[in-house]
Amino acid sequence: MRRLRARWAVLAAGIDAGTPAERDRSVDALRAVAILGVVLGHWLVTALTAADGGLSTTSPLAHMPWLAPVSWVFQTLAVFFLVGGRVAAEGHASARARGCSYRTWVGQRLGRLFRPVAAVLVLWAAVTAGMLIGGVEPSTVWTLLRLVLSPLWFLLVFAALTAATPLVARLSPVWPAALVAGVDVWLFGFGGPEWIGWVNVGAGWLVPYTLGAAWASGSFAGRRSPALLLGGGAVAAAALVLWGGYPASMVGVPGAAVSNLNPPTLAAVAFGLAQCGLALLVREPLARAMRRPAAWAKVALVNLSAMTVFLWHQTAMMAVTSLGLLVSADLPGLHTVPGSPGWIAARLLWLPAFAAALTLCWAAFRAYEQGARPRRRPARAVAASGPARAAGPAVPAQAGPATRPARGHRAPLAHAPGKGAVHV
């Protein structure tokens, strides 16, 4: 154990030393918090119950509505879109300054976003075929596939907003927020068609994304605007829940008539504004915390494989749940109905097993996110290139291979001892 701690200390020190001094580490910390919030939230509020030899999906929020505040803590997508808006706006501005074309810039960003998706789709296509051939109930197969594929909607929205960055970076968040409000009034107040609600899938997440773009352009330098976002968003969300008829849960609940998340409602947008305000308020404390090498190294490593963690966390949970069926079909917290506080205690005990399965998925598939690494040049060739080139910067470009790091937001790791370069 002492040897492992010593090796970790060396690695953390190397990561810290290899990070450019001008990098805003709070941005990476917020991204890590957002990703881990989504992962833990899914693990806590998604339950696969065993019945009639198959699996079906339910949620403790459907059986214990008083757990709704849990969704306020772990529904962190607004923070992810806030950070995404800032990074994309900075990256595009930096690319333009270097003379890089829009096509090249967006191709690199979207390539890095979707590259790890292919591995998920290929594996689950094979698993689905195997389950159907093996006689697994189609309802069980569909239940599992929905859990795997449902997070992918987020990637499609995020990709669309990324591609539209040059346009939305100039847009005030007031306009998409007003569109969400108009859609909700039409849908819930005047009985509009259900399909109109899907307009909010783009408009709802455009609100925090445009806030992130404004952040990149220098807005929110003080504490007043973030405090107004936090206070105003919280008050508006509370009023909409208490008097507007919106559900208290900020995630979807099976069987509920209205979902705040699927598609986003005005209550979810208001809640997201409060989250963004809080994120902007804590950036300075986060930046100070990230000065500690051990803390920064953990955040940097999460950012290294953020998409891998996001894409495979549901698979990890389902793998543990399915393997548990080999032991018993009624393991508490795994296959049983989430209808009591005892289920919550049991589910917390399963989280390390989910994390271990996710670690195996990460080890197997992280290379798809990081892409091909450049081959090491022979020592003789490096020496021949001269000391200036041999001692060049080791930090990789954030936007992808063969580009310079985005101004003010470079990749968090240099070549640490025994490790490759990290791309965020």
Side-chain angles (χ1 to χ4, degrees):
M1 182 63 70
R2 184 177 299 175
R3 181 175 299 178
L4 288 176
R5 289 178 179 174
R7 292 183 63 183
W8 168 250
V10 172
L11 175 61
I15 293 171
D16 182 69
T19 303
E22 68 273 18
R23 185 177 184 88
D24 188 347
R25 300 185 182 191
S26 67
V27 174
D28 300 278
L30 288 172
R31 184 195 285 114
V33 167
I35 287 292
L36 295 180
V38 171
V39 170
L40 289 174
H42 281 162
W43 285 354
L44 289 172
V45 304
T46 303
L48 289 168
T49 57
D52 301 325
L55 293 173
S56 59
T57 307
T58 186
S59 170
L61 296 172
H63 299 272
M64 296 176 283
W66 52 269
L67 285 176
V70 172
S71 67
W72 306 345
V73 177
F74 294 106
Q75 204 288 77
T76 52
L77 283 174
V79 177
F80 192 91
F81 279 92
L82 172 76
V83 172
R86 167 174 168 163
V87 173
E90 284 186 337
H92 180 252
S94 177
R96 288 188 62 188
R98 299 192 309 270
C100 179
S101 69
Y102 166 80
R103 182 176 179 178
T104 300
W105 172 80
V106 77
Q108 290 170 346
R109 292 201 65 85
L110 296 186
R112 291 188 53 211
L113 186 64
F114 284 111
R115 192 165 49 231
V117 174
V120 177
L121 296 179
V122 169
L123 177 79
W124 271 97
V127 169
T128 300
M131 287 190 294
L132 293 175
I133 294 172
V136 177
E137 287 289 331
S139 60
T140 296
V141 175
W142 176 237
T143 294
L144 299 179
L145 279 178
R146 279 192 304 175
L147 289 178
V148 172
L149 298 178
S150 58
L152 298 185
W153 69 262
F154 141 84
L155 290 181
L156 295 176
V157 176
F158 192 82
L161 294 182
T162 298
T165 295
L167 297 177
V168 302
R170 304 186 183 97
L171 186 67
S172 168
V174 172
W175 298 112
L179 179 57
V180 172
V183 168
D184 275 14
V185 169
W186 186 7
L187 183 61
F188 301 125
F190 296 96
E194 288 190 11
W195 61 263
I196 195 64
W198 295 103
V199 172
N200 287 351
V201 173
W205 299 119
L206 183 56
V207 175
Y209 195 88
T210 53
L211 287 174
W215 182 14
S217 66
S219 300
F220 311 115
R223 298 180 63 84
R224 181 179 179 181
S225 295
L228 288 175
L229 279 177
L230 172 58
V235 169
L240 289 168
V241 170
L242 292 174
W243 300 294
Y246 289 88
S249 173
M250 289 300 154
V251 298
V253 178
V258 177
S259 168
N260 273 324
L261 192 59
N262 194 25
T265 63
L266 185 60
V269 170
F271 178 76
L273 290 175
Q275 276 190 325
C276 291
L278 179 61
L280 292 167
L281 283 174
V282 302
R283 56 191 165 174
E284 292 183 6
L286 276 178
R288 290 194 295 269
M290 291 301 103
R291 293 172 190 164
R292 297 196 295 270
W296 169 238
K298 293 173 185 176
V299 165
L301 291 174
V302 170
N303 277 275
L304 167 67
S305 303
M307 280 297 100
T308 302
V309 170
F310 177 80
L311 290 170
W312 291 96
H313 74 279
Q314 295 281 56
T315 298
M317 181 190 70
M318 289 185 285
V320 173
T321 304
S322 300
L323 289 174
L325 291 173
L326 301 177
V327 178
S328 173
D330 57 357
L331 290 175
L334 201 62
H335 308 128
T336 53
V337 175
S340 68
W343 184 92
I344 301 172
R347 175 49 67 105
L348 292 175
L349 295 177
W350 283 108
L351 294 185
F354 297 161
L358 180 56
T359 300
L360 293 177
C361 293
W362 170 83
F365 298 105
R366 64 190 176 95
Y368 291 93
E369 178 173 359
Q370 298 171 29
R373 295 177 180 174
R375 294 182 179 179
R376 292 182 178 273
R377 299 173 62 191
R380 185 178 303 173
V382 172
S385 65
R389 289 181 60 86
V395 178
Q398 181 172 354
T403 62
R404 291 172 56 192
R407 183 173 53 202
H409 193 83
R410 299 182 181 178
L413 296 179
H415 287 292
K419 298 290 180 181
V422 172
H423 297 267
V424 177

